[in-house]
């Protein structure tokens, strides 16, 4: 299965959505909040991406067994 990921690193949080490229079906999603405030240090944004990736949950809330490089 080929998957595509969308990453939104907006002010309140970092959100990642992974979908099947052929069907559009949601494969997994995750979200990590940024610290409160309007000026957030760039490292906080990078840290949130790491947290989202580490949580890699399926739509049912279960962690997938595959590694990030194999899907």
């Amino acid at each position: 299965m080929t998957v595509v990921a969308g990453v939104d690193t907006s002010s309140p949080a970092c959100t990642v959505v992974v979908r099947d490229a052929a069907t559009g079906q949601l494969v997994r999603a995750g979200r990590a909040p940024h610290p409160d405030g309007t000026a957030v240090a760039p490292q906080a944004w990078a840290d949130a991406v790491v947290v989202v990736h580490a949580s890699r949950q399926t739509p049912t809330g279960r962690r997938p067994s595959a590694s990030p490089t194999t899907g």
Side-chain angles (χ1 to χ4, degrees):
M1 165 185 2
T2 300
V3 296
V4 294
V7 179
D8 174 13
T9 56
S10 61
S11 296
C14 174
T15 305
V16 177
V17 176
V18 179
R19 294 190 175 270
D20 181 309
T23 66
Q25 181 178 2
L26 180 63
V27 175
R28 64 181 70 118
R31 183 176 190 276
H34 292 304
D36 289 336
T38 56
V40 177
Q43 187 60 50
W45 292 49
D47 292 345
V49 171
V50 171
V51 169
V52 169
H53 174 70
S55 72
R56 296 188 309 128
Q57 294 193 353
T58 65
T60 61
R62 288 177 278 166
R63 290 176 61 93
S65 58
S67 72
T69 58
T70 60

